[in-house]
Amino acid sequence: MKSKINLLSVAICLSMASSVAMADALRDRAVGMFEAIPTEAPVIEGNVLTPEKVELGAMLFFEPRLSSSHLISCNTCHNVGFGGDDYLPVSIGHGWQKGPRNAPTVFNAVFNAAQFWDGRAADLAEQAKGPVQAGVEMSSTPARVVDTLNSMPEYIDRFKASFPEQADPVTFDNMAVAIEAFEATLITPNSPFDLWLNGEDDALNAEQKEGLALFMDKGCAACHSGVNFGGQGYFPFGLITRPGADILPEGDRGRFEVTQTATDDYVFRAAPLRNIELTAPYFHSGAVWDLEEAVAVMGVAQLGTELNDTEVKKITAFLRTLTGDVPDVMYPKLPVSTKTTPRPVDMVGGDY
């Protein structure tokens, strides 16, 4: 009897040792492909994140008077109360116009190699200038923005505190730099995956670990790797099989519109997958609302394989472990307009 008990104990110990070894091997593979989101905002070259600048950037992020209508702010399309986006297929801008592409999340955008789906902005500061001037978005101008900010003494004081070395700090460029400083703080650490990557074995369950293994084995990590699970490279949408026009509109040729290079036709930046369960609908067209459907589409279009239902469910279960701690953002109290603040422009034409 004692012999049988000893044999059973040995078998259990071997089984446990085997499970630990398999878990360690999976983590070793993952460490070679991915990184955890840090708990502190990263250092940005050329933009020191002082408390004054971050606070100013937060005010400007929520400031609708940067738009000509006084209705649209950065937060309109990158809502920090949702998943850092607007939960629409494409954003609605000035004159109730529809934008051409789905709004990417602002959360963890600081970790992307470039901004926008086509990578036309090198960093968050450059990105912040685009929507302000775009007729389909905020429909303003640099001069109008500077006049607006200079019309309110509190903004003048805050720009001086944020850029103390400059004699005339209220500029369009500094507006963008301050917004970048705030957006750099919008990171989401401590996701279940990050906790597991850092050694907490129980942070992922068996199905989620199997989904991670499939994510790596099937080739998803070839495009979606690094700290942000994407956002670093550009790839043809439809690398193997091009999706239909409902998902890949014929008129949007992606990075080609930036580079005018034939090889960039229908090429887009690999979407970051952090907090992906919060950022429906999916793809640059915003055509797919269900995450499992999006995974299945990517299997056919990018990997050339039709994932079965079980594989789709496991990969999706893993992707949901990429949701981290969403930052608590307090809506700022904005300065009161003055007599010299430019008046709002009617969204639908004419005068107020």
Side-chain angles (χ1 to χ4, degrees):
M1 184 66 165
K2 186 179 294 186
S3 176
K4 288 183 179 180
I5 292 174
N6 287 338
L7 287 173
L8 180 59
S9 300
V10 170
I12 292 172
C13 290
L14 289 174
S15 177
M16 292 176 61
S18 176
S19 297
V20 170
M22 289 175 64
D24 288 343
L26 182 64
R27 184 179 285 111
D28 287 344
R29 289 183 63 199
V31 166
M33 296 183 181
F34 313 112
E35 299 173 51
I37 295 284
T39 56
E40 300 290 336
V43 173
I44 300 178
E45 185 177 354
N47 190 358
V48 179
L49 306 187
T50 64
E52 295 83 2
K53 193 185 298 179
V54 170
E55 188 171 351
L56 171 61
M59 295 174 71
L60 296 172
F61 185 86
F62 287 96
E63 178 55 83
R65 288 166 296 186
L66 296 183
S67 70
S68 63
S69 65
H70 291 198
L71 282 174
I72 303 170
S73 70
C74 301
N75 190 65
T76 302
C77 299
H78 304 284
N79 195 317
V80 296
F82 286 149
D85 64 354
D86 56 12
Y87 201 63
L88 294 172
V90 294
S91 298
I92 305 298
H94 188 78
W96 312 116
Q97 299 175 85
K98 288 185 177 181
R101 294 175 182 155
N102 180 258
T105 178
V106 71
F107 292 153
N108 304 310
V110 67
F111 300 116
N112 296 332
Q115 306 301 322
F116 296 115
W117 283 97
D118 53 21
R120 64 184 182 274
D123 52 39
L124 287 170
E126 185 177 344
Q127 186 277 331
K129 299 177 185 179
V132 175
Q133 301 176 80
V136 74
E137 297 184 66
M138 298 170 78
S139 193
S140 192
T141 65
R144 181 184 172 94
V145 166
V146 171
D147 287 346
T148 297
L149 296 173
N150 269 322
S151 74
M152 290 172 266
E154 183 178 345
Y155 272 133
I156 295 174
D157 291 342
R158 287 183 177 275
F159 270 87
K160 287 179 179 178
S162 300
F163 303 94
E165 72 285 357
Q166 298 182 21
D168 185 18
V170 184
T171 67
F172 189 67
D173 284 348
N174 283 348
M175 172 214 72
V177 169
I179 290 174
E180 177 184 53
F182 168 65
E183 290 182 343
T185 69
L186 300 179
I187 58 176
T188 61
N190 301 319
S191 71
F193 171 76
D194 288 345
L195 299 178
W196 176 82
L197 196 68
N198 288 330
E200 292 189 26
D201 291 333
D202 295 336
L204 299 188
N205 62 32
E207 181 186 36
Q208 292 163 344
K209 291 174 184 176
E210 290 170 11
L212 168 59
L214 284 167
F215 187 87
M216 295 187 288
D217 292 341
K218 294 291 184 179
C220 308
C223 301
H224 299 281
S225 59
V227 66
N228 217 10
F229 277 73
Q232 300 300 311
Y234 304 94
F235 304 91
F237 193 176
L239 185 63
I240 306 299
T241 303
R242 182 170 289 186
D246 56 330
I247 294 177
L248 183 62
E250 290 292 335
D252 188 349
R253 300 174 66 181
R255 191 156 171 77
F256 172 84
E257 296 171 13
V258 178
T259 66
Q260 296 296 304
T261 302
T263 53
D264 283 337
D265 214 12
Y266 295 101
V267 167
F268 296 86
R269 188 194 62 184
L273 300 183
R274 290 286 183 173
N275 308 296
I276 190 69
E277 69 173 330
L278 306 180
T279 60
Y282 303 111
F283 307 132
H284 69 284
S285 56
V288 175
W289 286 89
D290 183 74
L291 184 54
E292 289 189 4
E293 182 183 350
V295 170
V297 168
M298 292 298 284
V300 174
Q302 302 303 100
L303 305 176
T305 182
E306 190 165 333
L307 300 169
N308 63 46
D309 289 346
T310 299
E311 291 171 330
V312 167
K313 288 183 182 300
K314 288 181 178 180
I315 291 174
T316 303
F318 162 66
L319 291 177
R320 292 196 172 101
T321 72
L322 300 180
T323 302
D325 292 340
V326 173
D328 291 323
V329 180
M330 182 176 294
Y331 199 105
K333 181 179 179 182
L334 303 177
V336 177
S337 296
T338 67
K339 289 182 179 180
T340 59
T341 302
R343 297 294 179 253
V345 173
D346 191 339
M347 286 272 279
V348 293
D351 298 322
Y352 279 105

